[in-house]
Amino acid sequence: SLKATAVVNNSNLGGDTTPQDVLGSLGYAEECARLAEVPLLFTAAKRELDIEGTKPVDMYVRPSWLE
């Protein structure tokens, strides 16, 4: 079995994601990490949201259902 060593918060609503959505998920991610007894490693967010303190990510593959 695999043992989790950290939580990565990647909360998003696809193209509808706002900075407020990501920032609003931080408490939930912190609580999940606390309950799992592992650290919250980082929060990821789409680069274009430009949210300070998050790890910027780019989407390279677009799911067909979003076409």
Side-chain angles (χ1 to χ4, degrees):
S1 69
L2 295 175
K3 181 177 178 351
T5 58
V7 169
V8 171
N9 179 18
N10 189 33
S11 301
N12 72 82
L13 301 169
D16 295 329
T17 306
T18 66
Q20 293 78 17
D21 295 323
V22 175
L23 296 172
S25 71
L26 290 176
Y28 180 75
E30 289 167 346
E31 180 67 2
C32 288
R34 185 188 70 77
L35 291 170
E37 298 179 346
V38 296
L40 174 58
L41 194 58
F42 61 84
T43 293
K46 291 190 303 185
R47 185 178 307 279
E48 59 264 23
L49 293 178
D50 194 30
I51 305 169
E52 186 176 338
T54 63
K55 186 169 190 73
V57 294
D58 299 307
M59 191 164 119
Y60 292 105
V61 178
R62 185 172 174 85
S64 61
W65 61 86
L66 294 178
E67 297 295 317

